[in-house]
Amino acid sequence: ASTGAGTAALYIGNAQITAVSDIRLKRDIIPTQRDALAIIDKLEVVDFYYKDPSDKSLFNRNSRGKSMGIVAQQSVPHVPWLVNAPSQYCPICLAGQQCPEHRSNWHFDFAGMTPLLARAIQQLNARLTKAGF
């Protein structure tokens, strides 16, 4: 039960499903100098079909047809802070192969990508303003 004033961090596996943004949990806060547009340009957006034998529910993601997304392993060089992995340095895991040491799936933090997208919009807006639009 909650009185409405608190929050709790919830997890699926080791991936947090709430985004805590309290200033009291941060240090050394400065405006970002990252070039969000350049980072986003490096991310490969892919089309794919799921192949998850463990998902046996009716209308599961395997049955929904083609999906669009980002592959966590391919994203590590560009946005390591958005990749939740058992080991970002394991060559077997990075190759997308079944690893006997690290059995967990890799996750891409799409919610965590929101600040990157907001920064990219700010950069685009600044370019448009500078160009007189």
Side-chain angles (χ1 to χ4, degrees), residues 94-117:
L94 277 169
Q97 300 170 357
Q98 292 297 326
C99 179
E101 187 176 348
H102 309 112
R103 298 187 187 274
S104 301
N105 289 324
W106 287 45
H107 299 270
F108 188 88
D109 182 5
F110 288 100
M113 192 165 167
T114 303
L116 182 68
L117 296 172

Side-chain angles (χ1 to χ4, degrees), residues 10 33 42 53 82 112 115:
L10 302 175
Q33 297 302 308
K42 293 175 185 174
L82 294 178

